[in-house]
Short mmCIF file of all heavy atoms in Angstrom, two decimals:
data_model
loop_
_atom_site.label_atom_id
_atom_site.label_comp_id
_atom_site.label_asym_id
_atom_site.label_seq_id
_atom_site.Cartn_x
_atom_site.Cartn_y
_atom_site.Cartn_z
N THR P 1133 20.72 0.17 -19.48
CA THR P 1133 20.68 1.45 -18.76
C THR P 1133 20.01 2.52 -19.61
O THR P 1133 19.13 3.25 -19.13
CB THR P 1133 22.12 1.91 -18.39
OG1 THR P 1133 22.73 0.89 -17.60
CG2 THR P 1133 22.09 3.21 -17.60
N ILE P 1134 20.40 2.61 -20.89
CA ILE P 1134 19.79 3.59 -21.79
C ILE P 1134 18.29 3.33 -21.93
O ILE P 1134 17.48 4.25 -21.86
CB ILE P 1134 20.49 3.56 -23.17
CG1 ILE P 1134 21.92 4.09 -23.04
CG2 ILE P 1134 19.71 4.37 -24.21
CD1 ILE P 1134 22.81 3.82 -24.24
N SER P 1135 17.94 2.08 -22.10
CA SER P 1135 16.53 1.69 -22.24
C SER P 1135 15.72 2.06 -20.99
O SER P 1135 14.63 2.61 -21.09
CB SER P 1135 16.46 0.19 -22.51
OG SER P 1135 15.14 -0.23 -22.59
N THR P 1136 16.26 1.77 -19.81
CA THR P 1136 15.58 2.05 -18.55
C THR P 1136 15.39 3.55 -18.35
O THR P 1136 14.30 4.02 -18.01
CB THR P 1136 16.38 1.46 -17.35
OG1 THR P 1136 16.50 0.05 -17.53
CG2 THR P 1136 15.69 1.75 -16.03
N VAL P 1137 16.46 4.32 -18.59
CA VAL P 1137 16.38 5.78 -18.44
C VAL P 1137 15.35 6.35 -19.43
O VAL P 1137 14.54 7.21 -19.07
CB VAL P 1137 17.77 6.44 -18.64
CG1 VAL P 1137 17.65 7.96 -18.77
CG2 VAL P 1137 18.70 6.08 -17.49
N GLY P 1138 15.34 5.83 -20.65
CA GLY P 1138 14.37 6.27 -21.66
C GLY P 1138 12.94 6.03 -21.22
O GLY P 1138 12.07 6.89 -21.39
N ARG P 1139 12.68 4.87 -20.63
CA ARG P 1139 11.32 4.54 -20.18
C ARG P 1139 10.88 5.45 -19.04
O ARG P 1139 9.73 5.91 -18.99
CB ARG P 1139 11.23 3.07 -19.74
CG ARG P 1139 11.28 2.08 -20.89
CD ARG P 1139 10.75 0.72 -20.49
NE ARG P 1139 11.43 0.18 -19.31
CZ ARG P 1139 12.56 -0.52 -19.34
NH1 ARG P 1139 13.16 -0.74 -20.51
NH2 ARG P 1139 13.11 -0.98 -18.23
N ILE P 1140 11.80 5.74 -18.12
CA ILE P 1140 11.46 6.64 -17.00
C ILE P 1140 11.16 8.04 -17.54
O ILE P 1140 10.19 8.67 -17.13
CB ILE P 1140 12.61 6.68 -15.96
CG1 ILE P 1140 12.84 5.30 -15.34
CG2 ILE P 1140 12.28 7.69 -14.85
CD1 ILE P 1140 14.13 5.19 -14.53
N CYS P 1141 12.00 8.51 -18.48
CA CYS P 1141 11.78 9.83 -19.07
C CYS P 1141 10.42 9.90 -19.75
O CYS P 1141 9.67 10.88 -19.59
CB CYS P 1141 12.87 10.14 -20.11
SG CYS P 1141 14.50 10.47 -19.41
N SER P 1142 10.08 8.85 -20.49
CA SER P 1142 8.81 8.80 -21.21
C SER P 1142 7.62 8.89 -20.26
O SER P 1142 6.65 9.62 -20.51
CB SER P 1142 8.75 7.50 -22.02
OG SER P 1142 7.54 7.41 -22.71
N GLU P 1143 7.70 8.18 -19.15
CA GLU P 1143 6.61 8.23 -18.16
C GLU P 1143 6.49 9.61 -17.54
O GLU P 1143 5.39 10.12 -17.32
CB GLU P 1143 6.86 7.18 -17.06
CG GLU P 1143 6.62 5.75 -17.48
CD GLU P 1143 5.18 5.47 -17.87
OE1 GLU P 1143 4.25 5.93 -17.16
OE2 GLU P 1143 4.96 4.79 -18.89
N ALA P 1144 7.64 10.22 -17.24
CA ALA P 1144 7.62 11.56 -16.62
C ALA P 1144 7.04 12.59 -17.60
O ALA P 1144 6.33 13.51 -17.19
CB ALA P 1144 9.03 11.96 -16.19
N GLU P 1145 7.36 12.43 -18.89
CA GLU P 1145 6.86 13.37 -19.90
C GLU P 1145 5.33 13.37 -19.97
O GLU P 1145 4.70 14.39 -20.26
CB GLU P 1145 7.44 13.03 -21.27
CG GLU P 1145 8.91 13.39 -21.41
CD GLU P 1145 9.65 12.60 -22.47
OE1 GLU P 1145 9.00 11.89 -23.26
OE2 GLU P 1145 10.89 12.71 -22.50
N LYS P 1146 4.73 12.20 -19.68
CA LYS P 1146 3.27 12.09 -19.74
C LYS P 1146 2.58 12.97 -18.69
O LYS P 1146 1.43 13.36 -18.86
CB LYS P 1146 2.84 10.64 -19.54
CG LYS P 1146 3.20 9.72 -20.69
CD LYS P 1146 2.84 8.28 -20.34
CE LYS P 1146 3.39 7.30 -21.36
NZ LYS P 1146 3.17 5.90 -20.94
N VAL P 1147 3.26 13.24 -17.58
CA VAL P 1147 2.64 14.04 -16.51
C VAL P 1147 3.28 15.43 -16.39
O VAL P 1147 3.04 16.15 -15.44
CB VAL P 1147 2.71 13.30 -15.15
CG1 VAL P 1147 1.87 12.04 -15.19
CG2 VAL P 1147 4.14 12.98 -14.75
N PHE P 1148 4.10 15.79 -17.38
CA PHE P 1148 4.70 17.13 -17.39
C PHE P 1148 3.59 18.13 -17.71
O PHE P 1148 2.87 17.98 -18.70
CB PHE P 1148 5.79 17.17 -18.48
CG PHE P 1148 6.48 18.50 -18.62
CD1 PHE P 1148 7.49 18.86 -17.75
CD2 PHE P 1148 6.14 19.39 -19.63
CE1 PHE P 1148 8.15 20.08 -17.88
CE2 PHE P 1148 6.78 20.60 -19.78
CZ PHE P 1148 7.79 20.95 -18.89
N ASN P 1149 3.43 19.15 -16.88
CA ASN P 1149 2.34 20.11 -17.07
C ASN P 1149 2.74 21.16 -18.10
O ASN P 1149 3.29 22.21 -17.77
CB ASN P 1149 1.98 20.76 -15.73
CG ASN P 1149 0.63 21.48 -15.82
OD1 ASN P 1149 0.26 21.99 -16.87
ND2 ASN P 1149 -0.09 21.50 -14.71
N GLN P 1150 2.44 20.86 -19.35
CA GLN P 1150 2.84 21.74 -20.45
C GLN P 1150 2.15 23.10 -20.37
O GLN P 1150 2.73 24.13 -20.69
CB GLN P 1150 2.53 21.06 -21.79
CG GLN P 1150 3.32 21.59 -22.97
CD GLN P 1150 2.74 22.88 -23.55
OE1 GLN P 1150 1.55 23.15 -23.40
NE2 GLN P 1150 3.58 23.67 -24.20
N ASP P 1151 0.92 23.12 -19.87
CA ASP P 1151 0.14 24.35 -19.80
C ASP P 1151 0.82 25.38 -18.89
O ASP P 1151 1.01 26.55 -19.27
CB ASP P 1151 -1.28 24.04 -19.30
CG ASP P 1151 -2.19 25.24 -19.40
OD1 ASP P 1151 -2.17 25.91 -20.45
OD2 ASP P 1151 -2.90 25.53 -18.41
N VAL P 1152 1.21 24.95 -17.71
CA VAL P 1152 1.90 25.84 -16.76
C VAL P 1152 3.23 26.29 -17.35
O VAL P 1152 3.60 27.47 -17.28
CB VAL P 1152 2.12 25.12 -15.40
CG1 VAL P 1152 3.08 25.91 -14.51
CG2 VAL P 1152 0.79 24.91 -14.69
N TYR P 1153 3.97 25.33 -17.95
CA TYR P 1153 5.28 25.64 -18.52
C TYR P 1153 5.14 26.67 -19.65
O TYR P 1153 5.90 27.64 -19.73
CB TYR P 1153 5.93 24.36 -19.04
CG TYR P 1153 7.29 24.59 -19.66
CD1 TYR P 1153 8.44 24.50 -18.89
CD2 TYR P 1153 7.41 24.94 -21.00
CE1 TYR P 1153 9.69 24.74 -19.45
CE2 TYR P 1153 8.65 25.19 -21.56
CZ TYR P 1153 9.79 25.07 -20.78
OH TYR P 1153 11.01 25.34 -21.33
N PHE P 1154 4.14 26.45 -20.52
CA PHE P 1154 3.93 27.34 -21.67
C PHE P 1154 3.65 28.77 -21.21
O PHE P 1154 4.26 29.73 -21.69
CB PHE P 1154 2.76 26.82 -22.52
CG PHE P 1154 2.54 27.57 -23.80
CD1 PHE P 1154 3.18 27.17 -24.97
CD2 PHE P 1154 1.71 28.69 -23.85
CE1 PHE P 1154 2.98 27.86 -26.16
CE2 PHE P 1154 1.52 29.38 -25.04
CZ PHE P 1154 2.15 28.97 -26.20
N LYS P 1155 2.73 28.91 -20.24
CA LYS P 1155 2.37 30.24 -19.75
C LYS P 1155 3.57 30.94 -19.12
O LYS P 1155 3.77 32.14 -19.29
CB LYS P 1155 1.23 30.12 -18.73
CG LYS P 1155 -0.12 29.83 -19.39
CD LYS P 1155 -1.19 29.55 -18.35
CE LYS P 1155 -2.52 29.19 -19.02
NZ LYS P 1155 -3.49 28.66 -18.05
N ARG P 1156 4.36 30.17 -18.39
CA ARG P 1156 5.53 30.74 -17.71
C ARG P 1156 6.56 31.22 -18.75
O ARG P 1156 7.16 32.28 -18.59
CB ARG P 1156 6.17 29.68 -16.79
CG ARG P 1156 7.23 30.24 -15.86
CD ARG P 1156 7.69 29.18 -14.90
NE ARG P 1156 8.60 28.24 -15.54
CZ ARG P 1156 9.01 27.12 -14.98
NH1 ARG P 1156 8.57 26.77 -13.79
NH2 ARG P 1156 9.86 26.33 -15.60
N THR P 1157 6.74 30.43 -19.82
CA THR P 1157 7.71 30.79 -20.85
C THR P 1157 7.27 32.04 -21.60
O THR P 1157 8.07 32.95 -21.84
CB THR P 1157 7.92 29.61 -21.84
OG1 THR P 1157 8.19 28.44 -21.09
CG2 THR P 1157 9.08 29.88 -22.78
N VAL P 1158 5.97 32.10 -21.97
CA VAL P 1158 5.44 33.27 -22.67
C VAL P 1158 5.60 34.52 -21.80
O VAL P 1158 6.01 35.59 -22.28
CB VAL P 1158 3.95 33.05 -23.05
CG1 VAL P 1158 3.31 34.35 -23.52
CG2 VAL P 1158 3.84 31.99 -24.14
N LYS P 1159 5.30 34.39 -20.51
CA LYS P 1159 5.41 35.53 -19.59
C LYS P 1159 6.86 35.98 -19.49
O LYS P 1159 7.16 37.18 -19.46
CB LYS P 1159 4.89 35.11 -18.21
CG LYS P 1159 4.83 36.26 -17.21
CD LYS P 1159 4.30 35.80 -15.87
CE LYS P 1159 4.31 36.94 -14.86
NZ LYS P 1159 3.87 36.49 -13.51
N HIS P 1160 7.79 35.03 -19.46
CA HIS P 1160 9.21 35.37 -19.35
C HIS P 1160 9.70 36.10 -20.60
O HIS P 1160 10.47 37.06 -20.52
CB HIS P 1160 10.05 34.10 -19.13
CG HIS P 1160 11.52 34.37 -19.02
ND1 HIS P 1160 12.35 34.35 -20.14
CD2 HIS P 1160 12.30 34.68 -17.97
CE1 HIS P 1160 13.58 34.64 -19.75
NE2 HIS P 1160 13.58 34.84 -18.45
N VAL P 1161 9.25 35.65 -21.78
CA VAL P 1161 9.67 36.27 -23.04
C VAL P 1161 9.16 37.71 -23.10
O VAL P 1161 9.86 38.62 -23.54
CB VAL P 1161 9.17 35.45 -24.25
CG1 VAL P 1161 9.39 36.20 -25.56
CG2 VAL P 1161 9.89 34.11 -24.29
N GLY P 1162 7.91 37.90 -22.62
CA GLY P 1162 7.35 39.25 -22.59
C GLY P 1162 6.91 39.75 -23.96
O GLY P 1162 6.94 39.01 -24.95
N GLU P 1163 6.50 41.02 -24.00
CA GLU P 1163 6.03 41.61 -25.25
C GLU P 1163 6.79 42.91 -25.52
O GLU P 1163 7.22 43.58 -24.59
CB GLU P 1163 4.53 41.89 -25.15
CG GLU P 1163 3.70 40.63 -25.07
CD GLU P 1163 2.21 40.92 -24.90
OE1 GLU P 1163 1.84 42.12 -24.78
OE2 GLU P 1163 1.43 39.97 -24.86
N PRO P 1164 6.98 43.31 -26.76
CA PRO P 1164 6.59 42.56 -27.96
C PRO P 1164 7.54 41.38 -28.21
O PRO P 1164 8.73 41.48 -27.96
CB PRO P 1164 6.73 43.60 -29.07
CG PRO P 1164 7.79 44.54 -28.58
CD PRO P 1164 7.64 44.59 -27.09
N MET P 1165 6.97 40.28 -28.68
CA MET P 1165 7.78 39.11 -29.04
C MET P 1165 8.47 39.36 -30.38
O MET P 1165 7.98 40.13 -31.20
CB MET P 1165 6.89 37.87 -29.20
CG MET P 1165 6.60 37.13 -27.92
SD MET P 1165 5.69 35.61 -28.33
CE MET P 1165 5.65 34.81 -26.74
N THR P 1166 9.59 38.69 -30.58
CA THR P 1166 10.21 38.74 -31.91
C THR P 1166 9.32 37.96 -32.88
O THR P 1166 8.49 37.14 -32.46
CB THR P 1166 11.61 38.12 -31.91
OG1 THR P 1166 11.49 36.72 -31.59
CG2 THR P 1166 12.54 38.81 -30.92
N HIS P 1167 9.51 38.19 -34.16
CA HIS P 1167 8.72 37.51 -35.20
C HIS P 1167 8.81 35.98 -35.04
O HIS P 1167 7.80 35.29 -34.99
CB HIS P 1167 9.28 37.94 -36.57
CG HIS P 1167 8.64 37.26 -37.72
ND1 HIS P 1167 7.46 37.69 -38.29
CD2 HIS P 1167 9.01 36.15 -38.42
CE1 HIS P 1167 7.14 36.89 -39.28
NE2 HIS P 1167 8.06 35.95 -39.39
#
Side-chain angles (χ1 to χ4, degrees):
T1133 302
I1134 291 167
S1135 177
T1136 301
V1137 169
R1139 288 199 306 274
I1140 298 168
C1141 289
S1142 179
E1143 287 297 317
E1145 287 156 10
K1146 291 175 189 173
V1147 295
F1148 180 80
N1149 195 328
Q1150 201 280 335
D1151 188 46
V1152 168
Y1153 180 92
F1154 186 90
K1155 285 173 183 169
R1156 190 174 77 189
T1157 309
V1158 168
K1159 186 179 177 184
H1160 179 269
V1161 170
E1163 293 177 357
M1165 275 186 173
T1166 64
H1167 176 84

